[in-house]
């Protein structure tokens, strides 16, 4: 694709069927849908990597075999084409219904930089199933984002949790030698270190600069053990990056505690481009630390069903994923904080500049030959896969509140949480909404609905607010509770007001009508149970392929 191709060109108006799962329409965009070797694959090919995936490359190859990767030869990020393209994919396919974008060459600061830069690696919900070797659920033409695949994967991990006494299973990692570790193929030290030469980008025009935002940062506490956390890192020079671990996040707590103990330097390793299981553990609240230290590499092994291969860092004692694309080693001066930001945050708004933030001096970089780099357009692309991270909390919620049917903290609208219940008593909807608001850190707006509602269908959720909710008597507002520090509406950082909403059908005992009308769709499904199947069979393609002239 010529890098000056306008992204609002009519050629970008492709259906999900055009782009996902077939090569139709890609030639019109100058895009290809091939394997890393340049040859076409099919999902049935014996050469396609199967779950569990040992590396990022195996994972992407499997997605590509299922038609979920679009290759783009060149993109001009000095003109923010990659960012605009991600917005177009989001507009067309939703946050969780679009392809992986595989940029092979990127214009950065006037220079063409060899990729790949990989964007939207978890952008399609079929990936949730493929991660565990499950067949995705094709629920077309119901919606463009296949939440059935998410539910299938979440149920799979819930079963793992249930079989392990309510906790994620663990398989300890196994150490390999440096000669066996792909992340040690190239070693950079001293003046050879220059992080600016790699394909990290400035995501938004108002950002402070180029960022690595998918790094897995290793830190340690003498009592609480190892932590792997994903924190954005502002690239400020060849050997200096800011490490934005927010107050309250584990890395920040580790380094603050080290400084209070009189330490002046914290050793750090950052892994980039690991297998998807380590990436999930780093970017989700997987570890349950209430019972003591947890090895998140063992949790990654438990999710994968096999041990994670690790190798010792060169300049510290951290064991890091041997199959990672890159390892950055260095040290954080604990007594010297510097400004960081601004940066486009996960809530979709520009975040403020942090006056004092930890930063890292890079002392060594090791990487694969021609390393693959992931970029997350924070608040726009989907981040990491969700089902694994949600499974245990959903399992525990159902144990605590048996009436819960489904639950979804909607990443498309950060801070909004939906929960469906099997209502058995008056007042129960508001009671459960109140419990969620008080216990779930990120749940600012909590909406509880009846079990016939799909909590992942935003149209149905807004419909329940309009038709089932009466604001007076079915609402509770909290003046100040702990909340997401990145919320731009906060006045006092870390504290937010919240609202609990009971949008279930109001019973007469709750002040509702004597008879609450039934939902038209439910009446259709019950009165004509074959109607949808007949229409899908006869006219499904016509409906999917229709476009206005």
């Amino acid at each position: 694709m010529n890098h000056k191709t306008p992204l609002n060109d009519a050629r970008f108006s492709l259906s999900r069927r055009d782009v996902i799962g077939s090569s139709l329409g890609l030639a019109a965009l100058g895009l290809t849908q091939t394997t890393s070797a340049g040859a076409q694959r099919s999902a049935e090919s014996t050469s396609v990597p199967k779950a569990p995936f040992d590396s990022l490359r195996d994972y992407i190859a499997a997605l590509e075999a299922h038609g979920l990767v679009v290759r783009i030869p060149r993109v001009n990020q000095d003109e923010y084409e990659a960012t605009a393209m991600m917005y177009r994919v989001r507009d067309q396919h939703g946050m969780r219904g679009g392809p992986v974008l595989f940029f092979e060459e990127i214009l950065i600061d006037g220079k063409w930089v060899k990729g790949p830069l990989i964007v939207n690696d978890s952008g399609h919900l079929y990936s949730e199933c493929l991660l565990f070797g499950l067949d995705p659920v094709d629920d077309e033409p119901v919606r463009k984002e296949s939440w059935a695949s998410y539910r299938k994967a979440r149920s799979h991990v819930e079963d793992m949790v249930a079989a392990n006494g309510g906790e994620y299973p663990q398989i300890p990692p196994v150490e390999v030698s440096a000669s066996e570790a792909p992340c040690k193929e190239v070693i950079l030290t001293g003046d050879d270190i220059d992080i600016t030469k790699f394909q990290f980008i400035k995501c938004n025009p108002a950002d402070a600069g180029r960022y690595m935002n998918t790094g897995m940062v290793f830190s340690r506490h003498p009592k609480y053990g190892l932590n792997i956390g994903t924190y954005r890192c502002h690239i400020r020079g060849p050997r200096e990056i800011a490490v934005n671990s927010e107050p309250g996040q584990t890395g920040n707590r580790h380094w603050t505690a080290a400084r209070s103990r009189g330490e002046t330097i914290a050793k750090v390793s950052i892994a980039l481009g690991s297998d998807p299981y380590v990436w999930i553990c780093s970017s989700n609240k997987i570890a349950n630390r209430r019972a003591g230290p947890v090895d998140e590499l063992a949790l990654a092994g438990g999710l994968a069903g096999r041990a994670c291969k690790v190798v010792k860092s060169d300049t510290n004692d951290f064991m890091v994923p041997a199959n990672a694309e890159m390892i950055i080693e260095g040290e954080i001066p604990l007594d010297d904080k510097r400004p960081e930001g601004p940066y486009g945050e996960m809530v979709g708004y520009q975040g403020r500049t942090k006056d004092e933030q930890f930063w890292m001096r890079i002392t060594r970089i090791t990487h694969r030959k021609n390393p693959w780099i992931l970029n997350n357009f924070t608040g726009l692309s989907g981040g990491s896969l969700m089902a694994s991270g949600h499974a245990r909390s959903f399992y525990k919620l159902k144990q605590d509140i048996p009436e819960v049917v489904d639950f979804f903290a909607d990443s498309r609208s950060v801070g909004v949480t939906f929960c469906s219940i099997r209502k058995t008593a008056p007042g129960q909807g508001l009671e459960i909404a109140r419990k969620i608001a008080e216990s779930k850190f990120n749940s600012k707006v909590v909406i509880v609905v009846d079990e016939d509602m799909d909590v992942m269908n935003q149209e149905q959720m807004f419909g329940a607010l309009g038709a089932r909710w009466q604001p007076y008597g079915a609402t509770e507002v909290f003046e100040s509770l702990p909340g997401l520090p990145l919320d731009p509406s906060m006045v006092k950082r870390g504290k937010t007001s919240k609202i609990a909403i009971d949008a279930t059908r109001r019973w007469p005992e709750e002040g509702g009508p004597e008879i609450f009308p039934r939902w038209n769709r439910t009446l259709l499904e019950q009165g004509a149970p074959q109607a949808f199947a007949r229409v899908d069979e006869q006219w499904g393609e016509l409906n999917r392929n229709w476009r206005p002239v």
Side-chain angles (χ1 to χ4, degrees):
M1 182 180 69
N2 185 294
H3 70 265
K4 293 189 179 297
T5 300
L7 294 179
N8 61 354
D9 192 291
R11 291 176 295 169
F12 233 127
S13 183
L14 298 176
S15 72
R16 177 173 172 274
R17 287 280 180 170
D18 286 336
V19 175
I20 308 299
S22 80
S23 60
L24 297 176
L26 296 180
L29 285 170
L31 312 181
T32 58
Q33 202 169 15
T34 64
T35 71
S36 56
Q40 293 288 341
R41 283 188 180 183
S42 70
E44 291 76 24
S45 170
T46 56
S47 63
V48 175
K50 302 291 194 298
F53 305 110
D54 289 330
S55 68
L56 170 65
R57 300 187 187 205
D58 285 350
Y59 171 65
I60 295 297
L63 298 187
E64 196 160 34
H66 285 79
L68 298 175
V69 176
V70 171
R71 288 177 176 256
I72 300 164
R74 280 189 149 194
V75 67
N76 181 350
Q77 190 56 13
D78 284 349
E79 297 294 335
Y80 298 97
E81 286 186 352
T83 311
M85 187 173 291
M86 188 63 239
Y87 271 103
R88 282 288 187 246
V89 167
R90 171 78 179 267
D91 291 345
Q92 184 82 5
H93 304 287
M95 178 177 273
R96 300 286 181 173
V100 177
L101 301 179
F102 192 100
F103 299 113
E104 295 179 337
E105 197 171 15
I106 313 99
L107 188 65
I108 302 172
D109 294 337
K111 298 178 181 179
W112 286 104
V113 179
K114 180 177 173 57
L117 182 72
I118 300 168
V119 172
N120 211 31
D121 61 294
S122 61
H124 198 283
L125 286 164
Y126 284 3
S127 306
E128 300 278 3
C129 279
L130 296 176
L131 183 71
F132 298 105
L134 306 173
D135 291 329
V137 181
D138 186 358
D139 58 356
E140 285 278 14
V142 176
R143 61 182 69 89
K144 62 187 177 183
E145 294 175 302
S146 179
W147 294 101
S149 292
Y150 162 84
R151 285 191 172 99
K152 182 175 182 178
R154 186 181 66 180
S155 178
H156 173 80
V157 182
E158 274 189 83
D159 289 343
M160 294 167 61
V161 168
N164 196 51
E167 300 293 340
Y168 289 103
Q170 297 186 42
I171 299 176
V174 294
E175 184 178 359
V176 300
S177 66
S179 62
E180 300 174 278
C183 70
K184 303 281 191 180
E185 287 178 346
V186 178
I187 299 176
L188 303 176
T189 62
D191 291 340
D192 291 334
I193 296 173
D194 188 351
I195 194 65
T196 68
K197 290 183 177 180
F198 296 97
Q199 60 269 37
F200 300 104
I201 63 172
K202 184 177 180 180
C203 295
N204 302 289
D207 287 352
R210 295 165 63 187
Y211 274 80
M212 64 174 71
N213 52 27
T214 59
M216 292 154 275
V217 182
F218 286 65
S219 65
R220 184 179 287 113
H221 188 281
K223 179 179 179 181
Y224 301 109
L226 173 70
N227 180 70
I228 311 174
T230 299
Y231 315 121
R232 70 173 187 252
C233 297
H234 177 201
I235 296 172
R236 293 204 289 235
R239 291 181 288 280
E240 181 182 326
I241 57 174
V243 184
N244 184 68
S245 180
E246 296 282 342
Q249 290 185 310
T250 308
N252 191 298
R253 293 203 307 268
H254 283 189
W255 301 323
T256 301
R259 186 174 58 184
S260 68
R261 294 192 302 267
E263 298 176 24
T264 58
I265 292 292
K267 297 285 189 178
V268 174
S269 286
I270 302 176
L272 292 115
S274 72
D275 69 56
Y277 312 98
V278 178
W279 173 221
I280 286 170
C281 290
S282 176
S283 54
N284 289 271
K285 290 289 186 182
I286 293 281
N288 176 21
R289 301 184 184 279
R290 294 179 181 178
V294 178
D295 183 349
E296 286 170 297
L297 292 169
L299 287 174
L303 288 177
R306 55 97 181 101
C308 177
K309 294 179 181 179
V310 296
V311 65
K312 185 179 177 297
S313 299
D314 289 349
T315 62
N316 60 56
D317 292 331
F318 289 115
M319 306 300 293
V320 293
N323 290 328
E325 294 293 318
M326 180 180 291
I327 305 295
I328 302 171
E329 300 177 25
E331 51 191 30
I332 292 178
L334 298 173
D335 55 357
D336 178 19
K337 290 188 176 183
R338 300 179 180 179
E340 187 275 337
Y343 178 79
E345 302 283 14
M346 62 179 291
V347 289
Y349 291 82
Q350 188 72 20
R352 65 179 180 86
T353 299
K354 316 294 175 60
D355 294 331
E356 292 187 336
Q357 194 55 277
F358 289 112
W359 63 279
M360 173 178 166
R361 184 184 300 112
I362 301 173
T363 57
R364 180 166 298 218
I365 295 176
T366 70
H367 63 82
R368 285 179 179 243
K369 296 174 183 176
N370 302 317
W372 293 19
I373 299 297
L374 287 178
N375 180 75
N376 178 29
F377 285 110
T378 312
L380 173 59
S381 53
S384 67
L385 296 171
M386 301 180 295
S388 302
H390 293 177
R392 181 181 176 275
S393 61
F394 183 46
Y395 173 84
K396 290 292 187 182
L397 184 65
K398 290 188 292 184
Q399 298 294 307
D400 296 339
I401 309 174
E403 294 82 8
V404 167
V405 174
D406 207 351
F407 178 87
F408 188 52
D410 197 339
S411 56
R412 298 164 296 183
S413 303
V414 177
V416 180
T417 296
F418 302 113
C419 180
S420 60
I421 65 168
R422 190 173 297 106
K423 189 171 174 178
T424 59
Q428 192 176 54
L430 189 57
E431 178 186 354
I432 291 173
R434 184 187 302 116
K435 287 181 180 178
I436 293 171
E438 291 176 330
S439 64
K440 299 293 184 184
F441 179 74
N442 289 349
S443 295
K444 177 181 175 181
V445 179
V446 181
I447 301 171
V448 172
V449 298
D450 296 295
E451 63 181 307
D452 62 337
M453 298 268 99
D454 180 354
V455 297
M456 291 158 204
N457 186 318
Q458 290 182 335
E459 181 179 324
Q460 289 188 20
M461 294 301 95
F462 281 109
L465 286 177
R468 300 188 184 187
W469 174 50
Q470 278 292 306
Y472 182 77
T475 307
E476 184 167 348
V477 176
F478 302 86
E479 181 179 2
S480 181
L481 287 174
L484 182 68
L486 302 178
D487 183 345
S489 68
M490 282 184 174
V491 177
K492 184 178 180 181
R493 190 165 177 79
K495 292 290 185 180
T496 183
S497 57
K498 293 188 176 185
I499 186 169
I501 294 172
D502 176 10
T504 61
R505 293 185 183 90
R506 300 195 77 190
W507 292 4
E509 301 94 317
E510 299 171 309
E514 286 297 320
I515 299 176
F516 205 107
R518 299 177 69 189
W519 198 21
N520 288 341
R521 183 178 182 122
T522 301
L523 293 172
L524 172 63
E525 291 171 341
Q526 293 178 349
Q530 300 302 317
F532 281 117
R534 289 170 61 86
V535 167
D536 292 344
E537 181 179 355
Q538 295 181 67
W539 300 297
E541 286 296 324
L542 175 66
N543 183 39
R544 280 191 292 270
N545 295 329
W546 175 84
R547 294 290 180 275
V549 177

